[in-house]
Amino acid sequence: MDHRNNGSACEVMTSREAADYLRISYDAFRTMRSRGQGPTIFIAIGRRLRFRKQDLDAFLASHVQRNTPVPDMDNSAAADQHGLAVRRKRGRPRATGQIEVVTVSVYVRAAALLALIIAVYLLGLSLF
């Protein structure tokens, strides 16, 4: 008995079929699954995964979002008032003030101290 085309509530799909059903590419589906962002309910038959249509529908329903206007994020008081967290830009965070300008005299002092330590060490070796 073929259960694939009868429209039953327990329709089972392969990973490729599930990706088509979600209308995303197969590679994107695999990436989402490997990052733990894809459908978490599946049937494992050996190394092969199968996904039920009802679980994919639940996955889609859990990702429904409403497009709400976001207040000006430069004004943190407005963001706090609306209960929103201030979002960072994507990419590696770049803190200002990480680069510190050091005057040349700091390096000169460090070099003089290092020369003094080396001289003391060499004199100590020559005394023995």
Side-chain angles (χ1 to χ4, degrees), residues 118-128:
I118 292 172
V120 169
Y121 178 73
L122 291 175
L123 284 174
L125 285 179
S126 65
L127 292 176
F128 289 111

Side-chain angles (χ1 to χ4, degrees), residues 9-109:
C10 192
E11 184 177 348
V12 179
M13 300 179 211
T14 65
S15 294
R16 287 192 187 276
E17 292 169 339
D20 288 341
Y21 182 75
L22 297 174
R23 295 187 177 173
I24 59 175
S25 71
Y26 176 64
D27 290 335
F29 182 76
R30 288 181 53 192
T31 301
M32 285 174 61
R33 293 257 322 121
S34 69
R35 292 181 179 169
Q37 299 168 345
T40 56
I41 300 174
F42 57 89
I43 302 166
I45 303 172
R47 291 180 54 188
R48 298 175 185 195
L49 302 180
R50 298 293 184 259
F51 299 88
R52 294 184 301 187
K53 182 180 180 296
Q54 62 197 26
D55 296 331
L56 294 175
D57 289 336
F59 171 75
L60 285 175
S62 70
H63 284 77
V64 172
Q65 295 180 1
R66 179 183 303 184
N67 190 14
T68 57
V70 178
D72 183 16
M73 289 298 164
D74 292 335
N75 186 355
S76 60
D80 289 339
Q81 181 182 4
H82 288 86
L84 298 173
V86 177
R87 291 187 177 179
R88 287 186 356 208
K89 290 184 180 179
R90 292 182 64 188
R92 194 177 112 227
R94 303 191 189 281
T96 57
Q98 284 182 337
I99 300 173
E100 193 173 318
V101 179
V102 180
T103 59
V104 177
S105 64
V106 172
Y107 293 109
V108 171
R109 282 189 228 142

